[in-house]
Amino acid sequence: MNNRYKLLKSISLGSIVAIIAVTVITIVGELYAPFKDWLKGVFTHHWLGKSALAVIIFIFVSFVGNILFSREENRAKWLLEALLYVALLATLFLMIFFFYHGRS
């Protein structure tokens, strides 16, 4: 059972970092065309690039987290709550960004 807490914490952290990374990559790509072009050039489409980077970041952070986290329950609930709030805030942030970016 304790291994599940370790896995839960590492996957939650990987998800949090991946969500933040995708949010940043999306905004940077919209504001800085050479970055979006780089994503297109390397991954054939900028959406594929964002997805590939998100998967790589998620796997890497989850793997490192699984090595570093303890097996105790502590912080498991906190990380799940943080994941929820980060997902909601990232969604809101992107909606606001595209609302104002589209108007300019």
Side-chain angles (χ1 to χ4, degrees), residues 1-16 58 62 65-66 69-81 83:
M1 183 72 171
N2 286 342
N3 281 338
R4 289 185 182 178
Y5 288 122
K6 187 175 181 177
L7 182 62
L8 178 68
K9 291 188 289 187
S10 63
I11 288 174
S12 296
L13 182 63
S15 299
I16 289 168
F58 170 76
S62 296
N66 199 37
F69 281 132
S70 66
R71 294 179 181 195
E72 287 84 37
E73 183 181 353
N74 64 342
R75 293 196 179 227
K77 182 182 176 193
W78 181 87
L79 279 167
L80 282 175
E81 289 174 355
L83 174 57

Side-chain angles (χ1 to χ4, degrees), residues 47-61:
W47 287 359
L48 293 174
K50 287 182 225 178
S51 298
L53 292 175
V55 168
I56 291 167
I57 290 167
F58 170 76
I59 290 172
F60 177 77
V61 173

Side-chain angles (χ1 to χ4, degrees), residues 90-101:
T91 301
L92 182 63
F93 197 74
L94 284 172
M95 288 173 62
I96 291 169
F97 171 78
F98 280 111
F99 177 76
Y100 285 110
H101 183 67

